Amino acid sequence: MTSNNAMIEFAGVNKFYGSYHALNNINAIVPQGEVVIVCGPSGSGKSTLIRTVNRLENIQSGKITVNGIDTQSEGINVNKMRSQIGFVFQQFNLFPHLSALENVSLGLIKVQHLSKGQAQEIAQGLLNRVGLEHKVNAFPGELSGGQQQRVAIARALSQNPPVMLFDEPTSALDPEMVGEVLAVMRELAAEGMTMMCVTHEMGFARDVANKVWFMDQGQILEESTPEEFFKSPKTERASKFLSDIR
Amino acid sequence: MIDILQNYWLLLLVGQFPNGPLGGLAMTLILAVCGIGLAFPCSIAIALALTSPFRALRASAQALVYIVRGLPLLMFIFWAYFAIPALLGTSVPGVVTMLFALVIYESVYLAEVIRGGIQALPAGQTEAARAMGLTHLQTQRIVVLPQVLYNVLPSILSQFISTIKETSLGYVISVNELTFAANQVNSILLTRPFDVYLLLAIIYFTLCFILTSCVRLLELRVERGRKSLRLKTQ
């Protein structure tokens, strides 16, 4: 695999919290059009890793390239770079004082400078796509967790980013709502969206992932296809992890 | 005491108005409303500086807060009383002087209230805004402040109540407000200071008690609003 078709490339990435080594020499590639699932025990650095991609977390050394753009370079327009990376949070983080439609159209209006009409038309289309055409004017407080997360996915898609990051998108949901969110994500993957997803949903990983990264103590210990990873994990820590979550 | 109220209610309410300057309770309320009203935009600016990513801006705002909070309001009133005419070269009405001192003092206290509100907002709100590409200032204006100002509304009203009481300090520079009016009544009657100042206390207390009850109601509403994260207003 050449790095030409890499959507995200980590090269020698290190991150410290004080003296704690949170990310330890990460070298990895998320190829264009593929789905990478990041899993591992809590505290292993999964969320930290995914948050370094759009610089919600800074790194101390190394290089992260997204869609050909060096995200760490000086003089880069961070806001423009971020607008081209969809990010979905564990806690949804919808803006509670704005309606679903306003949440989704905000970036189009304020970052892409579309007119309100154009932006809301696109937002309407995205809300249809995640099955929430009837909740356009609802406020986040009126929506279930699953519905909120689907609005959040629509919001992350709004500026038409070439890559989507998901940081434990179903972990804060009641079990009966996990399915509706995963369904939207499956659809996205089927449409060829490049996705990097931190999750504990191993069924989803098995069905959708092209690659699984297993992390522990700030390192990527394993990088394999889901078949390999679930059938015969290479490291003892991965097999312990798999037996623990079953 | 009732007879004092019967004879002097107009003086206590509006001073010598309309035959002389406006004063009394009306001026007390005007001072408090204008004081908080003008301090409000200043306090937002100071709060944004306090939470700014720029260290120099943060440090200077912090210094301002420390200085103002470490000094009594009365001192600001004296400073304004002597400094403003010296700087402008003309005399300035006592009301303007008092307002100036109040605005400086209240903007710092309000700024601390708003800063607290900004820091209490879940970090995810800012992260989500930044992740979609909004700038720091856009994030503050569109995402953070609308939520924070709603959440701290009760505290802002509390500060308004404090301000009502603080306007009584205007007496020392002869601002024609409620305490000043009460003192005038006392000077006329000469022999009944306890009645006059009890009446004054009752007026302040009633006003502040009513407003404090409003704050409590508002707190309940905001609490409910925050819990349901906005159920109405469509």
Side-chain angles (χ1 to χ4, degrees):
Chain A
M1 187 169 307
T2 68
S3 52
N4 287 341
N5 67 350
M7 179 57 75
I8 306 174
E9 182 170 1
F10 300 91
V13 171
N14 282 286
K15 179 173 177 65
F16 296 85
Y17 290 113
S19 63
Y20 178 69
H21 205 164
L23 293 177
N24 188 349
N25 193 31
I26 302 286
N27 291 286
I29 284 173
V30 179
Q32 185 168 3
E34 294 199 358
V35 177
V36 168
I37 300 289
V38 186
C39 63
S42 81
S44 59
K46 318 177 290 285
S47 283
T48 306
L49 181 67
I50 203 167
R51 288 163 58 91
T52 60
V53 177
N54 68 350
R55 289 184 46 179
L56 285 179
E57 301 283 351
N58 280 318
I59 59 175
Q60 271 70 49
S61 69
K63 190 172 168 183
I64 301 173
T65 314
V66 179
N67 203 20
I69 296 164
D70 177 3
T71 60
Q72 306 294 316
S73 72
E74 266 179 56
I76 186 184
N77 184 337
V78 177
N79 299 317
K80 192 173 168 210
M81 177 269 284
R82 283 176 172 155
S83 75
Q84 289 307 299
I85 300 172
F87 200 104
V88 177
F89 296 85
Q90 180 176 358
Q91 301 292 343
F92 332 135
N93 293 345
L94 291 181
F95 307 130
H97 60 304
L98 301 179
S99 70
L101 190 70
E102 289 167 332
N103 264 281
V104 180
S105 57
L106 185 60
L108 291 166
I109 297 171
K110 298 295 176 183
V111 183
Q112 304 300 326
H113 305 293
L114 296 189
S115 73
K116 198 174 169 189
Q118 282 174 302
Q120 295 201 332
E121 201 180 311
I122 296 171
Q124 178 84 52
L126 285 163
L127 286 169
N128 290 353
R129 193 163 147 199
V130 297
L132 289 172
E133 53 280 355
H134 57 297
K135 293 292 187 185
V136 169
N137 293 315
F139 283 86
E142 300 168 288
L143 300 173
S144 71
Q147 291 171 331
Q148 287 190 53
Q149 192 60 302
R150 285 188 280 154
V151 174
I153 293 174
R155 181 175 71 177
L157 285 168
S158 65
Q159 298 180 64
N160 205 16
V163 56
M164 289 281 284
L165 310 177
F166 296 85
D167 185 7
E168 303 207 29
T170 57
S171 301
L173 294 173
D174 290 335
E176 75 267 25
M177 293 169 185
V178 170
E180 61 189 80
V181 171
L182 291 183
V184 171
M185 291 171 62
R186 272 175 220 270
E187 218 167 282
L188 267 181
E191 289 164 16
M193 175 63 80
T194 310
M195 292 162 60
M196 179 173 170
C197 178
V198 176
T199 186
H200 297 292
E201 293 295 331
M202 290 304 138
F204 177 73
R206 201 170 290 149
D207 297 349
V208 178
N210 299 93
K211 275 273 160 58
V212 175
W213 298 353
F214 175 73
M215 288 187 73
D216 195 21
Q217 298 182 344
Q219 289 175 299
I220 299 181
L221 290 189
E222 281 194 39
E223 218 188 310
S224 36
T225 64
E227 298 84 52
E228 286 170 342
F229 180 68
F230 290 111
K231 261 193 210 125
S232 47
K234 285 172 244 164
T235 59
E236 204 171 302
R237 263 182 282 180
S239 41
K240 178 165 188 317
F241 172 74
L242 284 170
S243 69
D244 282 348
I245 61 169
R246 253 167 212 149
Chain B
M1 212 170 69
I2 300 292
D3 58 308
I4 299 178
L5 198 56
Q6 272 169 347
N7 291 329
Y8 297 104
W9 65 273
L10 199 60
L11 181 65
L12 291 170
L13 194 63
V14 295
Q16 268 103 46
F17 192 80
N19 305 314
L22 184 68
L25 183 61
M27 186 49 87
T28 289
L29 285 175
I30 287 172
L31 268 175
V33 170
C34 293
I36 284 288
L38 294 173
F40 183 63
C42 303
S43 68
I44 290 177
I46 299 171
L48 288 180
L50 284 170
T51 55
S52 156
F54 300 107
R55 186 192 297 256
L57 203 55
R58 260 197 332 262
S60 13
Q62 195 66 60
L64 177 72
V65 169
Y66 276 132
I67 290 168
V68 174
R69 292 217 303 182
L71 296 170
L73 174 58
L74 190 55
M75 214 215 58
F76 282 96
I77 296 171
F78 283 140
W79 267 93
Y81 186 66
F82 294 112
I84 294 177
L87 287 173
L88 295 181
T90 60
S91 69
V92 173
V95 178
V96 175
T97 310
M98 183 63 197
L99 197 56
F100 188 82
L102 272 180
V103 168
I104 293 183
Y105 200 70
E106 294 307 324
S107 18
V108 161
Y109 279 86
L110 275 186
E112 280 290 271
V113 166
I114 294 170
R115 179 194 58 76
I118 290 174
Q119 285 170 348
L121 203 67
Q125 290 291 309
T126 307
E127 285 178 357
R130 296 312 299 272
M132 70 163 63
L134 296 183
T135 64
H136 174 76
L137 279 181
Q138 281 179 320
T139 301
Q140 302 301 311
R141 185 166 51 82
I142 302 166
V143 174
V144 174
L145 285 177
Q147 298 184 59
V148 166
L149 295 182
Y150 176 73
N151 290 344
V152 301
L153 211 53
S155 306
I156 292 176
L157 191 54
S158 290
Q159 200 61 40
F160 174 67
I161 297 171
S162 300
T163 310
I164 289 178
K165 291 178 284 182
E166 281 157 0
T167 56
S168 64
L169 286 172
Y171 173 77
V172 299
I173 56 166
S174 303
V175 176
N176 216 327
E177 42 71 66
L178 182 58
T179 305
F180 188 86
N183 203 54
Q184 281 179 313
V185 174
N186 186 45
S187 306
I188 298 166
L189 295 171
L190 282 176
T191 55
R192 301 177 63 190
F194 293 110
D195 288 355
V196 172
Y197 291 115
L198 184 59
L199 187 61
L200 179 64
I202 290 171
I203 297 173
Y204 275 119
F205 180 81
T206 311
L207 183 60
C208 293
F209 181 77
I210 293 170
L211 286 171
T212 309
S213 311
C214 293
V215 171
R216 195 146 318 137
L217 279 177
L218 198 63
E219 260 169 0
L220 284 175
R221 266 195 82 130
V222 169
E223 193 55 37
R224 252 202 326 255
R226 225 175 351 197
K227 279 224 180 81
S228 62
L229 289 175
R230 213 97 190 261
L231 272 174
K232 32 235 148 264
T233 46
Q234 289 231 4

